[in-house]
Amino acid sequence: MNQVALQQYLDFAYIVAVVLFILSLRFLSSPVTARWGVLAGEIGAGLAVIATLFNPEVTHYKWILIPLIIGAGVGVPLGMVQMTAVPQRTALSHAFGALSAALIGIAEYYVGTRSVTRFEMGEISLEVIIGSLTFTGSLIAAGKLQEILPQRPIVYRGQNIVSLAVLAGALGLAVALVVNPGQPLLFPIMVVVALIFGVLLVTPIGGADMPTVISLLNSYAGISAALLGFVLNSKVLVVAGALDGSSGFILSVIMCKAMNRSFTNVLFGAFGQVKASAAAGVETRTAKSASAEDAAGILAAASTVVIVPGYGMAVAQAQHKVRELYDVLTKKGVDVRFAIHPVAGRMPGHMNVLLAEADIPYDRLAEMDDINGDFAQTDVALIIGANDVTNPAARTDESSPIYGMPILDVDKAHTVMVIKRSMSPGFAGIDNPLYFMDQTLMLFGDAKAFVGNIVRELSGAGGH
Ligand code: NAP
């Protein structure tokens, strides 16, 4: 095959890959088509890699094959982690993606020093800065989520000024390199400063802001890949990076909105520090607890039940038991729906994925805004391992760190039942006054075991 024809085939393969990436994002926006989205993305990425291997510029394969084997050796086990570990696994993926973008940029600088123009120097510098800070930032985020590092924000006086000064330092070095690309000493210093900034960027962030930070780092990794596409003159990389960067950014905005927080607040607000809460008086009140038998009786007598899943359901892997509960109640003629808060769990769509895995019909899942008006007519709100997303202090207590965050209005239901193991707080680290309300019953225990017990009671209890 002649070179021109080969290039045409390769361009065509890249166009198909890009179309598949766009379709992938489209499909991923609904749980009904999400599996297709994953498949489209995988095929697109596979096609782009294979096409690149056929590129005439690739002259020998040894240095591609060895890393491919090492990468697959690391990637395959990483893909098999438990559902609850997916946020930190995602952070690691961003770290690796950003590292590879940074390393390729660094290699481009050293290989191309002779001919590098000012414009190219600008591209390389920006790409390497964003890649490097995303690498260390994502590693810190993964460490925090895996609880290897303290989850709370680590803060000190003048922190924001120090961090911004370091960032300004990296950008200043980039400008100096653009002005004079032939200064080899400045380049490695710029890389080190950017790596340090990544650490400074994420250490002061913690608590409930971590998933948003992961999404933001995803966006940074995409931007650095897109810039790398310009450096390497690879259109497919520009488009894939831009899609990754913009979708990650949009997701971060959605998450910020769902938590009623601004970007600057997430980045500089140090959310999750131990703060004296005005709800301190709450502890003097006592919460009522009930058994699985009591809970089964109340559920069997209800006409409408709304189940609110949260992070605890994910940790306990209780979704299949929840499906059994849904089946047994539906058989008894109870109308059962699921209320999904946009940030329930530890990543967007966490609850949708788990409930879909247990084959709970999608049309039984309702978004927060669609179901909130119905709680006042709901007999039982059954909360399974959710806490912050049901905390009424977000509506009423101006001193609460989650004040203003939209929540599921479960406190308006006639009876509220909460399955969790103890009275300890959720991700945001604050008390939940819901547990002390008159209509609330605490069902203490592991979500999977407790729901299993309720199902057993209901199955033995006979008809409605
Ligand atoms: P949460 O507030 O962290 O509460 C989860 C509850 O589950 C805990 O109170 C815990 O109480 C309970 N639990 C843990 N293991 C359990 C088990 N084995 N069995 C039963 N219960 C168990 O979770 P959430 O209500 O889902 O709220 C999500 C949090 O993540 C929010 O703070 C939100 O802002 C944050 N967030 C999420 C996203 C996202 O994209 N999803 C993004 C940004 C922030 P016990 O220890 O007493 O059992």
Side-chain angles (χ1 to χ4, degrees), residues 287-290 418-423 442-446 450:
K288 293 187 285 297
S289 73
V418 185
I419 301 181
K420 71 200 289 290
R421 296 161 307 174
S422 65
M423 292 299 284
M442 300 302 293
L443 309 178
F444 290 117
D446 172 73
F450 209 106

Side-chain angles (χ1 to χ4, degrees), residues 87 206-213 215 251 255-256 258-259 261 271 308-318 341-351 383-391 402 405 408 418-430 432 435 442-450:
D209 285 335
M210 285 316 291
T212 315
V213 172
S215 169
L251 186 56
M255 286 155 81
C256 279
M259 299 189 302
R261 293 168 57 68
F271 187 86
V308 177
Y311 180 66
M313 184 188 80
V315 184
Q317 287 288 300
H341 190 284
V343 296
R346 291 294 178 268
M347 58 187 178
H350 203 169
M351 296 303 123
I383 299 154
I384 305 179
N387 188 347
D388 297 336
V389 299
T390 65
N391 193 335
I402 61 164
M405 168 174 157
L408 288 162
V418 185
I419 301 181
K420 71 200 289 290
R421 296 161 307 174
S422 65
M423 292 299 284
S424 63
F427 200 37
I430 47 172
N432 191 342
Y435 304 156
M442 300 302 293
L443 309 178
F444 290 117
D446 172 73
K448 188 173 174 180
F450 209 106

Side-chain angles (χ1 to χ4, degrees), residues 349-360:
H350 203 169
M351 296 303 123
N352 303 67
V353 173
L354 290 174
L355 297 177
E357 185 196 314
D359 285 327
I360 286 166

